[in-house]
Amino acid sequence: MPKVVKSAGREMILKVKELCEAEHKNHGVLIPIYNVRKRIAAMTENCNESYKNGATAASTSKVIVTPGKSRPHTKKFDLDGFDLCAIRQKIHRFYVVRKELPTLAKLRAALREDINIKGSITTLHRILQSIGFKYKRCQSKRKLLMERYDIKENNTHELTII
């Protein structure tokens, strides 16, 4: 579906079209191709000085940065290694001791009691992904919280060293 071109864009398109038609009638280029700034100023009917102001940012890089782009956000929860290890152990306890599947809601409630983590379910899901857990479908088409294989191998290798 084509996007709607606003009035300023339509004016710009008409100016470029007029220059292209004038070059077509002339059977050649009116302004030399190597003189890029003059061509752009003629197409947009601006003087060279106003184009230079906009072009200085574009001359240093290929991408023109516009305001409103995504900016880095600070993390809401800064968890250390102890907290991450406690979360991992809590998940293993769900499987071994309680013998039940750890859902995000159950895990969040248990972590609020033990470690006093105050966060949403989405935040907990992101923390679990950063630790190396992910949900996989099993034969009953239910999702289980699984630890990545390479992390399991590292943990067992560290235990054998100790």
Side-chain angles (χ1 to χ4, degrees):
M1 181 174 192
K3 291 186 177 181
V4 177
V5 179
K6 303 220 174 175
S7 61
R10 284 194 299 265
E11 288 177 17
M12 187 74 65
I13 291 170
L14 287 175
K15 291 173 188 175
V16 171
K17 180 184 172 198
E18 289 172 1
L19 182 74
C20 291
E21 287 175 349
E23 287 180 344
H24 178 69
K25 286 180 185 175
N26 191 27
H27 298 293
V29 184
L30 294 175
I31 301 171
I33 293 178
Y34 60 85
N35 200 341
V36 176
R37 289 187 177 178
K38 282 188 180 178
R39 285 184 62 82
I40 292 175
M43 287 182 189
T44 58
E45 293 183 359
N46 290 332
C47 65
N48 282 339
E49 295 302 318
S50 65
Y51 170 70
K52 283 181 186 177
N53 293 338
T56 53
S59 64
T60 57
S61 67
K62 300 279 183 187
V63 178
I64 298 174
V65 178
T66 59
K69 298 290 180 184
S70 62
R71 291 168 181 84
H73 297 285
T74 58
K75 291 186 177 181
K76 293 182 181 178
F77 295 99
D78 189 27
L79 301 173
D80 57 350
F82 175 77
D83 290 333
L84 296 177
C85 188
I87 293 171
R88 181 178 284 115
Q89 287 177 354
K90 185 56 97 174
I91 293 169
H92 291 302
R93 281 188 194 142
F94 263 94
Y95 283 118
V96 177
V97 178
R98 291 187 179 183
K99 300 201 187 279
E100 62 183 44
L101 297 175
T103 63
L104 287 173
K106 289 179 188 176
L107 192 60
R108 179 177 164 221
L111 289 173
R112 276 191 176 177
E113 292 173 8
D114 293 346
I115 310 173
N116 197 17
I117 290 180
K118 298 174 184 170
S120 67
I121 291 178
T122 309
T123 306
L124 180 61
H125 189 261
R126 287 185 188 135
I127 292 169
L128 293 179
Q129 284 179 336
S130 69
I131 294 174
F133 284 94
K134 64 180 185 177
Y135 281 94
K136 280 192 142 183
R137 290 194 186 273
C138 63
Q139 292 174 348
S140 64
K141 297 192 178 187
R142 186 172 181 173
K143 288 186 177 183
L144 297 175
L145 189 61
M146 304 286 282
E147 196 168 9
R148 283 190 358 222
Y149 294 110
D150 56 341
I151 294 177
K152 279 185 187 177
E153 291 175 7
N154 286 344
N155 290 342
T156 55
H157 179 69
E158 290 174 6
L159 290 175
T160 56
I161 292 174
I162 294 174

